[in-house]
Amino acid sequence: MKKAIYSVLLFSLLSLLFVSCQKDMEKTILVKPASIQGFSASVTDILLNPDNKTQTVVTFKFEEPSYGTDVVPSYSLQFDIPSDTTGPDAWSKAVVVRLTGNAVERSFNGADLNALLVNQLNMKPGTKADLAVRLVSEILKTTGNPSSVAPVYSTITIAVTPFEDIVIYPALVVKGGNSWITPPPGERAPGYVLTSAGFNSKYEGYLNLPDADGWGGDAFQLVSSTDQKVYGWGTSATTIAEGGGNLWLTPSPVYMKVNVDLSTNAISYTPASFSISGDHNSWSTTETPMTYDVTAGVLKATGVSLTAGKAFAFIGNNSWDLSYKVDEDDKLVFAGPPNWGGNNIVVPATGTYTIILDLSRGAGNYTYSLTEE
């Protein structure tokens, strides 16, 4: 009899334990929401201008989706050109802005939104265009990687008109080492800066190393304009490290293109010489060389005879792989691989010109000029 009672009690306890565990398991099962409700923009037609740079111009809001249990999703906003939101590479070029904590709204002032549109999405200032904005809700593991629960999306489209602004790009500024005396990094002096035109981890600029130490090499460090971190020698001549000693490069003096990627701590140096290739010399990549003016910090060619309506481009190292042309707004742009972009520069009037190529202010700030002699 006692044995039977014990068996009943044991069965009851096990049943209760099973039910309890089952409930606990049910509580921890994540259920993907069907959608994200209420995703909207406070303004759907935004005209940006210098007067609203410091003002809030738009706020994106949404309702917190339910996953069936207490979790804190990771939210982000993706901004892209509508034509880049379809096909196999849909949204791959989007600019991603992550929301902090469990915030269910994100506001932008005019300056930040304008920089996102013009500098990161390459939208044309003064032209009204559609902007696709996608909200992403996802559950991340403690490692930061996505979980097995698929992300949930909600997309809206708004109209935006960006404006032409004076852009101050993030920069890495040269700080000379040993005998090389350079301007204070805070001055961002031309000829001593690498800039991030995409506001990301990649920096580019042209430097002329002066052989200040007198034995064929130069030493320097790079100072960040955003957080004043100092980068120097990494584990080799092609790497950098925060707090590292002097970067060392030889031979010098030499004019070169310098690229840095802070996400991989990589640095590369490409010695560069430039020439002008165009109709005037049957598109020769060597016939019209440019010389580097050390005092002015620019590349120059004088006595160049050009004909109105004809065209030319700037060629580096006798190859179109390093070349510069102009965009629709006559701004100098990289014309090499992989995109091979830009348009040839059209000569405004027949004459003999001094042509200047100024690469001293970092990527995004390259300019040229034609002065009739």
Side-chain angles (χ1 to χ4, degrees):
M1 182 66 179
K2 289 182 179 180
K3 188 174 182 180
I5 293 174
Y6 289 151
S7 298
V8 172
L9 289 172
L10 180 59
F11 178 80
S12 298
L13 287 171
L14 290 173
S15 298
L16 289 171
L17 181 62
F18 175 78
V19 172
S20 176
C21 290
Q22 188 178 38
K23 287 182 177 179
D24 289 340
M25 290 176 63
E26 289 174 351
K27 288 180 181 179
T28 59
I29 294 175
L30 298 179
V31 180
K32 176 186 173 183
S35 62
I36 307 175
Q37 298 296 317
F39 180 43
S40 63
S42 60
V43 181
T44 58
D45 192 343
I46 306 171
L47 176 62
L48 296 166
N49 56 64
D51 294 333
N52 59 22
K53 288 175 64 174
T54 60
Q55 301 172 8
T56 297
V57 294
V58 65
T59 299
F60 297 97
K61 295 183 179 181
F62 57 95
E63 297 175 13
E64 183 178 357
S66 174
Y67 284 84
T69 187
D70 293 332
V71 293
V72 179
S74 174
Y75 303 122
S76 58
L77 294 171
Q78 298 178 335
F79 298 85
D80 210 342
I81 307 299
S83 59
D84 289 336
T85 61
T86 59
D89 297 322
W91 297 96
S92 62
K93 299 178 182 178
V95 177
V96 179
V97 178
R98 298 197 178 278
L99 278 64
T100 57
N102 58 354
V104 292
E105 65 177 65
R106 177 65 157 84
S107 298
F108 291 84
N109 64 28
D112 291 341
L113 183 61
N114 195 69
L116 185 152
L117 300 176
V118 176
N119 302 323
Q120 296 181 272
L121 291 179
N122 296 317
M123 297 182 75
K124 187 175 181 180
T127 300
K128 184 176 180 177
D130 286 339
L131 175 69
V133 187
R134 183 167 74 164
L135 171 64
V136 184
S137 175
E138 54 188 336
I139 304 298
L140 301 180
K141 298 179 180 179
T142 55
T143 59
N145 296 320
S147 71
S148 58
V149 180
V152 187
Y153 304 98
S154 183
T155 304
I156 59 175
T157 300
I158 62 175
V160 292
T161 306
F163 70 99
E164 186 71 48
D165 195 14
I166 298 175
V167 180
I168 300 177
Y169 297 111
L172 294 175
V173 186
V174 171
K175 177 185 177 183
N178 298 340
S179 303
W180 189 10
I181 307 300
T182 55
E187 294 183 4
R188 296 172 58 117
Y192 299 91
V193 291
L194 315 177
T195 55
S196 177
F199 287 83
N200 50 31
S201 64
K202 297 180 179 181
Y203 293 74
E204 179 186 292
Y206 285 80
L207 306 178
N208 186 61
L209 303 188
D211 189 17
D213 290 328
W215 56 68
D218 276 302
F220 62 97
Q221 293 173 305
L222 295 170
V223 182
S224 170
S225 66
T226 57
D227 55 20
Q228 284 68 59
K229 290 181 179 179
V230 178
Y231 296 90
W233 186 272
T235 58
S236 69
T238 58
T239 60
I240 62 174
E242 184 183 344
N246 285 329
L247 296 163
W248 177 258
L249 197 64
T250 187
S252 280
V254 64
Y255 184 71
M256 67 184 65
K257 177 173 172 280
V258 182
N259 290 87
V260 170
D261 190 341
L262 293 182
S263 68
T264 59
N265 290 328
I267 186 168
S268 65
Y269 310 92
T270 305
S273 60
F274 280 86
S275 60
I276 300 168
S277 177
D279 289 308
H280 68 287
N281 59 15
S282 300
W283 297 96
S284 167
T285 58
T286 60
E287 191 173 313
T288 312
M290 307 187 80
T291 57
Y292 183 72
D293 185 326
V294 176
T295 302
V298 300
L299 293 147
K300 182 185 296 185
T302 59
V304 183
S305 297
L306 301 175
T307 302
K310 300 298 183 179
F312 68 91
F314 296 104
I315 307 299
N317 296 336
N318 305 326
S319 169
W320 289 95
D321 286 349
L322 179 58
S323 57
Y324 293 95
K325 298 182 181 181
V326 293
D327 63 12
E328 293 79 3
D329 299 315
D330 200 40
K331 289 187 175 181
L332 209 62
V333 294
F334 180 68
N339 296 325
W340 301 100
N343 305 307
N344 292 323
I345 302 167
V346 178
V347 180
T350 299
T352 301
Y353 289 88
T354 293
I355 303 176
I356 290 177
L357 176 61
D358 187 352
L359 306 175
S360 66
R361 290 173 170 80
N365 295 317
Y366 300 151
T367 62
Y368 79 98
S369 65
L370 279 73
T371 304
E372 196 163 1
E373 296 177 358

